[in-house]
Amino acid sequence: MNTTGHIIQGTWRRPTARQTDFNNLDHWVDLARTLERGTFDAIFFADVVGLYAPYRGDERKYFESGLQVPSNDPSVLAAALAYATENLGIAFTASILQEHPFNFARRISTLDHATKGRIAWNIVTNYLPNASRNFGLDGLTKHDERYAWADEYVDVTYKLWEGSWEEDALIQDRATGIHADYDKVHRINHEGPRYRVEGPHLVSPSPQRTPLLFQAGASEAGRTFAARNAEAVFIQSPNLAAAARDTADIRDRAERHGRRRDDIKFFQGLYVIPASTEAEAEAKAAELDEWIDYDAQLSHMSGAVGIDFGHEDLDTPIGELRTEGVQSIVGWIKDLVPDRPATLRDVAHYTATNSRIVGTPEQIADRLARWQAAGVDGINLVNAEIPTSYEEFVDHVIPVLRERGLAHTEYAEGTLRHKLFGRGDRLPDRHPAARYRKSVAHVR
């Protein structure tokens, strides 16, 4: 995230940590080059456009701990990171709340051209009341209504990306002086509950047309949205059984929407602590634990679900939570300790440690193989420290994964979509966006 404190809070204080350099472009360029050296598919940026819900009555904790504030726009980094690399995908989060779909589609297409087809969009709604008020709304839109909004938002972008310009509309014929074929560029004339967009799209077809589509919603509405639209889904399953259940469920839903099970890849959020021996790795983990701000971990969870845990005793059972925030988090909390009621202390501890793998590179590879067997295609590698978390993974874990055939040794040619799926630069015909590829209304 283009901020200091993303997932693991407090570790920016370590002497070797460089998260506080997030305002420096060289910081991100260096990281992108490290990831490309490790043949990572993409660098992925999360984002928020507002403060988390109050903790102990206000937002003081977020500012004092550096928890996602200050926070910069990640999309601004995309062109620079692409220019500094050759193959690394650049994925960033953008909410339907923060920009009109016409302008967003134009920006994405511009970036996809500039990166030669390496752009991905993580589609999110919004779960922060402050973000809603920042964009003129009275408060947080109801959970399922946000996904109805998202349905229309992506529909507009699909029409612009897939249905506005025919493939051979841009001619640029010096001899005839015809730059584009007028009859092959189309208005979209979208009229819906929230948007009226005439078109046409102002950008000619980019290498991917529609960017690679990421999504992370795990609620009932979120899973349905992912099954229809996503090509890559981020999950934060608390264990292997939950991962197998979650991936199978979304793949089942995708089939019901006319897609194939292998049209979606799943990426589990994990971070690793490698060392040459298991004992050394455990010692590194224990030392890291001393830097983690567990109160900030709890405030992060509290702010996301919209329930102020700050005034409660840490041993208070979670109970039945009802929230308009991130509903998938509520289910995740209940999965943490299935043999007894989860407490706030469990929440603080598990948000910092449940998703990590500690051990030798060989032991880490063993664990990752088990995640793969549970239906997971890859990992979203979370950092406890930048650049160390990534450098250690690239230098020590990637070689073992390559030996076992679990990681690339080199990049495939083509766009990010082709690199990831190996079957073309554009969305397959069974994706819902494909229905807009034949337009009828000419530009007037």
Side-chain angles (χ1 to χ4, degrees), residues 288-321:
L288 178 68
D289 286 347
E290 295 179 2
W291 292 96
I292 294 176
D293 183 343
Y294 290 97
D295 188 52
Q297 295 293 141
L298 185 60
S299 72
H300 187 189
M301 183 69 75
S302 174
V305 300
I307 299 174
D308 192 341
F309 296 144
H311 300 292
E312 303 291 337
D313 185 276
L314 288 180
D315 293 315
T316 301
I318 295 297
E320 294 297 320
L321 298 177

Side-chain angles (χ1 to χ4, degrees), residues 311-354:
H311 300 292
E312 303 291 337
D313 185 276
L314 288 180
D315 293 315
T316 301
I318 295 297
E320 294 297 320
L321 298 177
R322 296 184 181 275
T323 175
E324 289 299 332
V326 184
Q327 292 187 0
S328 59
I329 292 178
V330 176
W332 182 80
I333 292 172
K334 294 176 182 178
D335 279 339
L336 291 178
V337 281
D339 57 334
R340 60 174 174 79
T343 67
L344 292 180
R345 190 181 302 277
D346 292 321
V347 173
H349 177 74
Y350 278 99
T351 55
T353 63
N354 188 64

Side-chain angles (χ1 to χ4, degrees), residues 62-254:
Y62 308 127
F63 285 89
E64 291 184 343
S65 62
L67 198 165
Q68 300 185 11
V69 60
S71 177
N72 297 343
D73 184 344
S75 68
V76 177
L77 302 174
L81 299 185
Y83 193 71
T85 58
E86 294 182 6
N87 291 285
L88 186 72
I90 297 97
F92 61 86
T93 298
S95 168
I96 59 173
L97 174 71
Q98 68 192 82
E99 189 170 6
H100 191 283
F102 179 84
N103 196 60
F104 178 73
R106 183 180 184 226
R107 187 155 54 91
I108 282 283
S109 295
T110 303
L111 286 171
D112 201 54
H113 276 301
T115 62
K116 299 185 174 75
R118 290 190 274 148
I119 286 293
W121 171 30
N122 180 38
I123 310 165
V124 299
T125 56
N126 167 60
Y127 56 91
L128 302 177
N130 175 250
S132 295
R133 293 191 293 271
N134 287 339
F135 289 88
L137 301 180
D138 292 333
L140 187 61
T141 305
K142 295 291 185 182
H143 183 273
D144 288 2
E145 289 179 22
R146 299 201 298 268
Y147 278 101
W149 181 354
D151 284 334
E152 184 183 1
Y153 193 99
V154 298
D155 212 36
V156 174
T157 61
Y158 293 161
K159 290 175 181 178
L160 291 165
W161 289 325
E162 299 291 335
S164 192
W165 288 68
E166 295 184 28
E167 197 64 36
D168 56 351
L170 186 65
I171 300 171
Q172 296 178 319
D173 189 321
R174 295 178 186 271
T176 65
I178 301 298
H179 194 262
D181 187 333
Y182 171 83
D183 293 321
K184 293 183 177 182
V185 183
H186 312 283
R187 298 185 190 276
I188 67 167
N189 293 318
H190 174 89
E191 293 192 20
R194 287 184 177 269
Y195 301 108
R196 295 179 63 189
V197 181
E198 184 176 77
H201 193 35
L202 294 181
V203 186
S204 61
S206 69
Q208 295 184 118
R209 278 190 178 256
T210 297
L212 187 78
L213 299 171
F214 281 77
Q215 212 265 331
S219 65
E220 181 66 23
R223 288 169 185 247
T224 298
F225 183 87
R228 284 199 304 265
N229 298 282
E231 299 172 273
V233 174
F234 292 125
I235 60 174
Q236 196 67 43
S237 300
N239 52 53
L240 296 172
R245 176 195 68 204
D246 296 340
T247 56
D249 175 66
I250 295 176
R251 287 186 168 116
D252 288 344
R253 294 173 191 237

